[in-house]
Amino acid sequence: MKLMEDRVRRDAVIENGDVLKVGTFLNQTIDVPFIRACADEFYRLFRDEHVTKVLTVEASGIGLACLVALPFGVPVLFAKKSRSSNIAGGVYTAPVFSFTHGTQHEIMVPCNMLGPGDRVLLIDDFLAKGEALHGMLELCKKAGATAVGAGIFVEKAYQGGGDELRAAGLRIESLARVTSMTDDSL
């Protein structure tokens, strides 16, 4: 999507050679009108998939997923990284390693919130090695839900996660693909 590609080129900052900072519009400050235009593009791409839920992982994906869910008219379900007192009963879990934080999390969703009738669109701000998508796919599999695809705002294509998941059969639509971490690759 040219809109996202242009925004990354204009506003993203490379830090320490491997961190792409998009906090001015995507995950620290959310440029709502801009993200709404991105949500409309995801709707155009996935509207024929009969999406019943949008799934993301807390925390930076929640605001984005909410805007993506609007044109579909469906709820957002977010996988939590830790169990809290408001989660009662059984949960589906999956391990996810966060390269950003250098930590392993056990993401979870309550069993009564995801099931066999669900057609799920996975949403994430970044796709690098694919850990979050793998985790969300595992949650869907355990619940018997169908993952219809993944909408990614920025894919770090050079890290290979998207290629691996596409080869395994997951439909991934990325609004921008970064091919290397140099200023001329943005």
Side-chain angles (χ1 to χ4, degrees):
M1 173 184 190
K2 186 163 177 17
L3 186 65
M4 178 61 82
E5 293 167 358
D6 290 347
R7 190 68 184 262
V8 169
R9 281 187 191 97
R10 187 180 80 215
D11 294 336
V13 175
I14 298 171
E15 190 173 275
N16 299 328
D18 62 348
V19 176
L20 185 64
K21 299 193 107 178
V22 291
T24 60
F25 64 95
L26 188 62
N27 60 13
Q28 184 69 39
T29 298
I30 298 175
D31 181 338
V32 173
F34 173 73
I35 299 304
R36 180 60 199 256
C38 295
D40 290 343
E41 177 65 3
F42 285 132
Y43 180 74
R44 184 188 70 78
L45 293 165
F46 289 101
R47 68 178 165 229
D48 296 331
E49 294 295 339
H50 308 288
V51 172
T52 63
K53 282 196 175 109
V54 170
L55 176 63
T56 193
V57 177
E58 70 173 356
S60 61
I62 296 171
L64 303 175
C66 287
L67 290 167
V68 171
L70 277 173
F72 289 97
V74 300
V76 171
L77 174 61
F78 63 91
K80 294 186 82 118
K81 293 179 183 173
S82 62
R83 193 172 191 126
S84 58
S85 61
N86 64 347
I87 296 180
V91 294
Y92 299 117
T93 64
V96 171
F97 181 77
S98 170
F99 288 94
T100 305
H101 300 286
T103 56
Q104 179 85 19
H105 297 282
E106 194 78 14
I107 62 171
M108 65 192 73
V109 296
C111 294
N112 65 339
M113 294 187 187
L114 188 63
D118 286 313
R119 295 183 55 78
V120 182
L121 176 59
L122 311 175
I123 293 293
D124 209 355
D125 55 351
F126 275 96
L127 168 57
K129 300 213 179 249
E131 291 287 323
L133 286 182
H134 278 293
M136 289 189 280
L137 284 169
E138 188 170 331
L139 295 176
C140 287
K141 182 179 178 183
K142 287 179 176 181
T146 301
V148 300
I152 304 299
F153 285 84
V154 179
E155 179 179 348
K156 291 180 174 179
Y158 64 92
Q159 289 189 309
D163 292 339
E164 175 200 334
L165 286 159
R166 286 180 183 97
L170 180 63
R171 177 181 174 195
I172 300 174
E173 300 288 350
S174 298
L175 300 183
R177 296 182 83 230
V178 177
T179 55
S180 69
M181 290 296 274
T182 59
D183 288 332
D184 62 342
S185 70
L186 300 181

